[in-house]
Amino acid sequence: MANRGVLAETYTTRNRRQNYDEMPRTPEPTRFTSAMVKAAPAPRPDKPPAPVGDWSTAGTEEVADLVRDISPTRTRHGAIKLAAGVRVLFGHLETLPGATWQERWENSGFNVEKAPPVNILGRPGIGYDGSNATAALRAVFSARIIQPSLAGFRANRFAGYPETFRKIQNDPLVDAYYAAVDAQLQISEVHRNRAKFDVACALTTQGIDLADLTPSALLHYSLECKRLGVTPGANNDTTRFSALAAWEILHKIGHFPAGTAPTLRTFIYNGQRTVEELVGRYRFANADVRQLLVDYLTRRRADTDYNTLEGLARNIAGQFWDVVEELNPGQKDLALSPELYDQWRAEIQYWRKNGRTDYTRRRKDVASVLLAVRGLYMDLHSWAVAEPERWAHWVAPCPILPRDLKGFGKRRRDVNRRMADRTRVRQPLLPVLVRHLEDRFEHLAGLLDAARTLPLGQTFTHNGHRYSRSDSREDRRRAKILTDPAVRVVDHATGETINLTLVEDAAFWEWAAVEVLRHSGIRVEELTELTHLSIRQYERPNGEVIALLVVAPSKSERERVIPMSAELFHVIAQIIRRHTRGGRPIQLLTRYDGHEKTWSEPMPFLFQRRLGTVLNVISPATVLHMIGRSCEEIAATNPAFEDTKFTPHDFRRLFATEIVNGGLPIHIGAALLGHLNLQTTQGYVAVFAEDVVKSFQEFLNNRRSMRPEEEYADVTAEEWAEFEEHFDRRKVELGNCARPYGSPCQHEHACIRCPVLQVNPKMLPRLAEIETDLILRRKRAEEEQWLGEIEGIDLTLTFVRAKQADAARLTRRTTVTLGMPTSRPGSTPPDVTMSN
């Protein structure tokens, strides 16, 4: 376990850079324990490649002459510069210890992580010295005079290294690979060059020929590039992998052995762990309990999916027994003392990270841990009856009593209430989000169509905005060598250069994902699992043909069929049309299931898009991030979105609410949503009690129709005058009396003490006079010892100061004009004159 911890540490972001001199020379296994191919550098061949012979001990001038002769450049000036660069580089290496140029290179400091580039050897103020040294190093690496480490190689920026490498190698296999790369027209030229560079770099840094490049060696190269943050085109992003296209092309041309997976990503993700590995993540001192948990989870695995099994192992092994052993290292069985149980209950109130409790993060769902542990005890009790020789030894009283789970139902209701409130907040915002996505996609699609046929540099107007085709040096170069280069435009209003091909594609897939989610109510995992085979037709007995969407089993392992509405059919048709442009078929891809940790069979997935060098199925996390990004864009102009974001599951709840409140029977709604229990569907739709509101409104209308007609007569002039007079009589010195209509004053006009007095803020000076007068009266009462008077004055002072505070608060509020009431439409207003 100690060695495994060291390996894990080297893959963290903080410690991703390691010194090659400190790293073990033996091949290291990857963390992808379930992969059939393990990452390992290629073994050094018995006869290392030497396309120009052995020059490891040649003199500097000899190497300079060699580099000049083998250089791909045809100009005399270029050859002279290469020779000058060799003298700069090798002149420095000559001063270092070592019998060969390889040994001197390894002692130079240019071969370690975070190494500087060799252009620092140039003379100060003379820039071409450094560039000459870099060009010379490119030729030396290609000629295999020096074998660099990956860090030493990538510390330098080589222009045109793949082509230089190919010409010096003179290897038919390399030529065939380059030709296969050039034949991949669906990949842009930039990514084709990266595919060539990845292979050339892997061969150079591992000191092998292409014939010796195995899947393990290429996987090792990819993982090292990721670890070092030197993946080509990733801009120091340590989450991206290199050689993705190189792997696929090598697989297509039959370079890899039979049975090798067609994509490198197959070996990137962790597969399903065995039960022993799930339990083995925790360092238990008690081997017997460890074996018990392994046996228990092995039996439970037969009736559950992998995602549930992984969560069960986390709760029982990590949150239960790992904590118990930490609190009581000598615990030998499952019989916990009350004191130990109380300590464990206190510990699991907080999250644990790396085997330690994080007291800054409180756990919200403690009940899930309690239920898992209680299930362990209950299962052992029942299994011991049938197999006492295997389970009876571990039977113990369950420390988790029913009262410990008493609030579980309340917590579930709280969760349902929060979810219902979340849906209520988002329902009126859904049209805003949909309109934003539609407008953005239509705008970008129209802009792309308008710009695609224009020459570079041409200015045009679209929707009232001026744009021009980008006419940079890179745009001109790509227009010459590519049949369908990316369309880039410059927005004259902002000066921003927009890659329309890229942003239009992203806008389409975001629009398509939201449309399918909100019109079908499927889960986001089911969305990414949709394939071309999911579209079916059904002919009704009357001859009508209905389009159906077959949803693959996801959470409930229950396949279901959804009749497609016109809107849903439209977006599905748009997706298929996009994939099949130019008569192309929908590509067969494999998809990684993040829950089950397995790869699917090659299938024509609908939600696939090309990013960089390879086609990938869009992941659920990508859909979540796309929707969140759009919500942030809307929040810039719509305050309602400032603290509100949509998730893919929000559309499922909104769909369920809409169909059931629209009159669809709930059991049919449950079938469309894939729920096995009607109560689950009720939890989704119990948001707007539309039937309750409708029934109550009908009750009110019916009750009003049964009342005598005279109760709804028009207001007479006398009644209106009496109504106005009531408000006139409520006007008092300090403001307004809020007593009900038609009622007299009940407090003998002691307004200061009356709770219904509404003080006019303009009367604050008068209240100050009253307060001063009361203070003087209290002083006289104290002198005369009128204790009863003092008590009454103190009470009045309390009311006065409260009225002052209320009036002062009103001065800080803005005035809202509500207007005057009017008569009902169709009635004759009373002939009265209203004054201000």
Side-chain angles (χ1 to χ4, degrees), residues 440 501-511 609 626 629:
R440 183 176 62 182
T501 304
L502 184 63
V503 298
E504 187 271 345
D505 186 66
F508 170 81
W509 288 113
E510 186 173 350
W511 167 79
R609 61 183 298 207
M626 288 193 304
R629 184 174 60 244

Side-chain angles (χ1 to χ4, degrees), residues 274-275 277-282 284 290 292-322 344 363 366-380 383 400 595 597:
T274 64
V275 173
E277 290 174 334
L278 292 175
V279 178
R281 292 181 295 182
Y282 309 98
F284 295 156
R290 176 193 297 274
L292 167 68
L293 298 184
V294 169
D295 294 341
Y296 174 76
L297 292 173
T298 301
R299 179 159 178 173
R300 286 296 309 272
R301 186 171 191 171
D303 58 358
T304 186
D305 57 19
Y306 178 79
N307 189 43
T308 304
L309 179 73
E310 190 176 32
L312 193 61
R314 188 183 307 111
N315 284 332
I316 295 177
Q319 304 299 336
F320 175 56
W321 192 253
D322 192 37
W344 174 74
R363 185 187 300 275
V366 180
S368 61
V369 181
L370 297 178
L371 287 173
V373 176
R374 182 175 173 82
L376 168 66
Y377 280 86
M378 296 297 102
D379 288 339
L380 292 178
W383 296 350
I400 304 173
H595 293 296
K597 303 292 190 299

Side-chain angles (χ1 to χ4, degrees), residues 61-352:
E61 288 302 324
E62 293 176 315
V63 176
D65 293 340
L66 171 69
V67 169
R68 185 172 57 245
D69 294 339
I70 65 174
S71 172
T73 180
R74 297 182 178 180
T75 64
R76 179 173 177 273
H77 179 67
I80 293 175
K81 290 177 63 178
L82 280 175
V86 171
R87 295 186 184 98
V88 172
L89 175 63
F90 278 58
H92 172 73
L93 295 180
E94 282 180 333
T95 64
L96 302 175
T100 64
W101 294 120
Q102 179 69 32
E103 294 174 357
R104 294 166 185 157
W105 169 259
E106 293 176 354
N107 293 324
S108 65
F110 291 117
N111 205 45
V112 297
E113 294 191 23
K114 298 184 180 180
V118 297
N119 60 17
I120 65 172
L121 297 176
R123 290 169 291 179
I126 303 179
Y128 59 80
D129 264 5
S131 62
N132 289 346
T134 302
L137 187 66
R138 176 186 61 190
V140 169
F141 284 167
S142 299
R144 308 298 184 99
I145 299 173
I146 294 175
Q147 178 187 336
S149 67
L150 181 59
F153 184 96
R154 297 291 284 124
N156 303 273
R157 293 182 178 273
F158 298 123
Y161 185 82
E163 190 61 24
T164 301
F165 179 83
R166 183 189 69 81
K167 290 181 178 180
I168 293 179
Q169 299 307 301
N170 195 23
D171 184 351
L173 290 180
V174 174
D175 294 339
Y177 169 73
Y178 277 37
V181 173
D182 291 332
Q184 307 299 315
L185 300 180
Q186 74 278 8
I187 304 177
S188 68
E189 189 219 0
V190 173
H191 295 105
R192 291 200 295 267
N193 286 336
R194 287 179 185 169
K196 296 176 182 178
F197 179 86
D198 283 328
V199 169
C201 182
L203 299 182
T204 302
T205 55
Q206 299 189 34
I208 57 175
D209 288 322
L210 183 56
D212 299 323
L213 182 63
T214 62
S216 296
L218 189 57
L219 178 60
H220 172 79
Y221 164 77
S222 179
L223 295 178
E224 283 297 292
C225 285
K226 175 180 179 293
R227 183 178 67 84
L228 295 170
V230 295
T231 298
N235 298 323
N236 299 323
D237 184 359
T238 59
T239 64
R240 295 176 61 180
F241 294 85
S242 62
L244 298 178
W247 184 291
E248 292 190 11
I249 296 171
L250 288 170
H251 184 274
K252 287 180 180 179
I253 64 177
H255 177 79
F256 289 152
T260 304
T263 64
L264 182 144
R265 289 183 180 274
T266 304
F267 307 105
I268 292 176
Y269 299 98
N270 286 328
Q272 288 189 0
R273 297 177 182 268
T274 64
V275 173
E276 289 78 6
E277 290 174 334
L278 292 175
V279 178
R281 292 181 295 182
Y282 309 98
R283 299 178 177 87
F284 295 156
N286 193 321
D288 293 335
V289 174
R290 176 193 297 274
Q291 188 60 44
L292 167 68
L293 298 184
V294 169
D295 294 341
Y296 174 76
L297 292 173
T298 301
R299 179 159 178 173
R300 286 296 309 272
R301 186 171 191 171
D303 58 358
T304 186
D305 57 19
Y306 178 79
N307 189 43
T308 304
L309 179 73
E310 190 176 32
L312 193 61
R314 188 183 307 111
N315 284 332
I316 295 177
Q319 304 299 336
F320 175 56
W321 192 253
D322 192 37
V323 179
V324 168
E325 280 199 348
E326 180 180 329
L327 297 173
N328 184 21
Q331 185 70 29
K332 300 299 184 182
D333 52 28
L334 300 183
L336 306 186
S337 65
E339 295 78 11
L340 180 58
Y341 172 69
D342 292 339
Q343 291 177 350
W344 174 74
R345 280 289 303 274
E347 284 290 319
I348 65 170
Q349 301 298 319
Y350 303 91
W351 283 96
R352 288 176 63 82

Side-chain angles (χ1 to χ4, degrees), residues 625-647:
H625 294 323
M626 288 193 304
I627 299 173
R629 184 174 60 244
S630 291
C631 291
E632 291 178 357
E633 294 175 2
I634 300 175
T637 56
N638 191 331
F641 277 81
E642 287 183 357
D643 299 320
T644 303
K645 285 187 178 181
F646 280 78
T647 65

Side-chain angles (χ1 to χ4, degrees), residues 549-794:
L549 188 66
V550 179
V551 181
S554 177
K555 186 175 179 180
S556 61
E557 296 297 329
R558 182 182 184 184
E559 186 177 75
R560 62 189 189 277
V561 178
I562 299 177
M564 284 195 280
S565 62
E567 295 84 358
L568 180 57
F569 185 82
H570 168 72
V571 65
I572 294 294
Q574 290 284 71
I575 294 173
I576 296 176
R577 181 182 302 173
R578 193 176 191 88
H579 284 313
T580 56
R581 284 182 299 193
R584 301 190 306 265
I586 299 180
Q587 296 295 315
L588 301 180
L589 300 180
T590 57
R591 173 187 174 274
Y592 181 73
D593 190 331
H595 293 296
E596 291 298 315
K597 303 292 190 299
T598 56
W599 287 89
S600 70
E601 295 294 327
M603 300 185 71
F605 289 101
L606 294 182
F607 281 85
Q608 58 173 272
R609 61 183 298 207
R610 181 175 297 280
L611 286 178
T613 59
V614 295
L615 276 170
N616 287 315
V617 181
I618 298 176
S619 68
T622 300
V623 177
L624 175 65
H625 294 323
M626 288 193 304
I627 299 173
R629 184 174 60 244
S630 291
C631 291
E632 291 178 357
E633 294 175 2
I634 300 175
T637 56
N638 191 331
F641 277 81
E642 287 183 357
D643 299 320
T644 303
K645 285 187 178 181
F646 280 78
T647 65
H649 209 73
D650 288 327
F651 301 106
R652 181 171 171 83
R653 290 182 174 275
L654 289 168
F655 174 81
T657 301
E658 180 181 0
I659 61 174
V660 175
N661 287 341
L664 190 71
I666 194 169
H667 67 282
I668 299 180
L672 293 177
L673 294 170
H675 289 156
L676 301 179
N677 192 335
L678 289 181
Q679 292 182 351
T680 306
T681 309
Q682 290 172 346
Y684 276 58
V685 303
V687 179
F688 299 94
E690 186 65 28
D691 54 343
V692 176
V693 174
K694 181 180 179 181
S695 299
F696 185 70
Q697 193 65 39
E698 292 176 352
F699 164 73
L700 291 179
N701 294 335
N702 182 58
R703 188 180 65 176
R704 287 169 181 162
S705 64
M706 297 176 64
R707 302 295 299 174
E709 184 64 28
E710 56 269 18
E711 292 187 4
Y712 298 96
D714 293 333
V715 179
T716 63
E718 292 77 11
E719 291 173 336
W720 190 261
E722 182 181 354
F723 179 73
E724 285 186 313
E725 184 181 358
H726 162 74
F727 290 97
D728 291 337
R729 287 197 301 267
R730 294 201 315 178
K731 297 178 180 179
V732 294
E733 175 191 10
L734 296 177
N736 187 50
C737 177
R739 65 180 182 269
Y741 172 72
S743 61
C745 178
Q746 301 293 328
H747 307 288
E748 300 179 357
H749 297 283
C751 296
I752 290 295
R753 296 188 178 185
C754 181
V756 296
L757 173 66
Q758 298 174 344
V759 177
N760 192 327
K762 297 180 181 179
M763 300 306 295
L764 280 172
R766 175 56 181 155
L767 287 177
E769 294 176 3
I770 294 175
E771 182 183 19
T772 302
D773 181 64
L774 289 172
I775 293 174
L776 293 176
R777 287 175 55 192
R778 191 182 190 286
K779 184 177 180 181
R780 173 68 187 280
E782 288 178 346
E783 294 174 353
E784 301 293 340
Q785 292 296 309
W786 298 335
L787 300 181
E789 188 72 13
I790 293 174
E791 183 180 0
I793 293 174
D794 287 341

